[in-house]
Amino acid sequence: MTRFEGDTARERRKLFADAVSAHRDRGSAFLTIEAERLADVDGEGPGPWIQFADQTFNMDVTDEELDRLKGLLAEFPEFRIDQLESPEEAEGTNVRITARSDANRLAGFADRVFQAVYGRDEAYRAWVTAV
């Protein structure tokens, strides 16, 4: 991989698909995608992130974001929530989603999560920070 960021839907989805392919080819432990932090959406916290490993997406969400994520999964019937963890000391829920699909479908899902779940607009910027 030579590109690590994108700010159009086409660039991001290509970036994410390339990252999934690189992750699989290298046999790396996981890949991480981060979206630009927006103070008006994220408040004091960090920007949103998604990890992918072993055919599983991992992300942290608030209760409202979890509701939006469940709605989004209707568009991706081959993906399913496998685990929800809400430790008492945490403000949100950690979600693990089994996602057995090709790199392009996984990339499309990741892009939609940032927009539909985390409130990013069409021109949001994202980075692959670990492969």
Side-chain angles (χ1 to χ4, degrees):
M1 285 185 56
T2 57
R3 296 177 320 105
F4 294 98
E5 58 91 16
D7 60 6
T8 68
R10 184 176 188 169
E11 288 175 352
R12 287 188 308 267
R13 288 180 183 208
K14 172 108 174 72
L15 173 67
F16 299 167
D18 288 348
V20 168
S21 295
H23 160 71
R24 288 176 171 168
D25 290 348
R26 295 175 185 178
S28 65
F30 59 87
L31 74 89
T32 303
I33 304 168
E34 295 181 21
E36 185 171 19
R37 183 184 172 286
L38 301 175
D40 60 329
V41 176
D42 302 318
E44 296 292 320
W49 54 269
I50 299 172
Q51 286 188 322
F52 181 76
D54 298 325
Q55 300 180 336
T56 302
F57 281 106
N58 179 37
M59 63 196 76
D60 289 338
V61 295
T62 64
D63 291 343
E64 295 82 20
E65 291 166 344
L66 180 58
D67 289 341
R68 293 191 297 263
L69 178 60
K70 288 177 178 177
L72 176 62
L73 286 171
E75 296 176 29
F76 295 85
E78 70 276 30
F79 296 2
R80 71 175 189 282
I81 294 176
D82 273 346
Q83 186 176 3
L84 297 172
E85 286 187 41
S86 298
E88 287 185 27
E89 66 276 0
E91 293 183 22
T93 301
N94 180 262
V95 182
R96 293 182 187 260
I97 299 171
T98 297
R100 293 180 180 97
S101 195
D102 64 79
N104 289 325
R105 184 79 168 150
L106 297 169
F109 177 74
D111 192 42
R112 294 282 294 127
V113 166
F114 284 117
Q115 292 178 62
V117 175
Y118 291 123
R120 297 309 187 259
D121 64 21
E122 181 65 27
Y124 80 92
R125 180 167 289 210
W127 294 267
V128 173
T129 59
V131 177

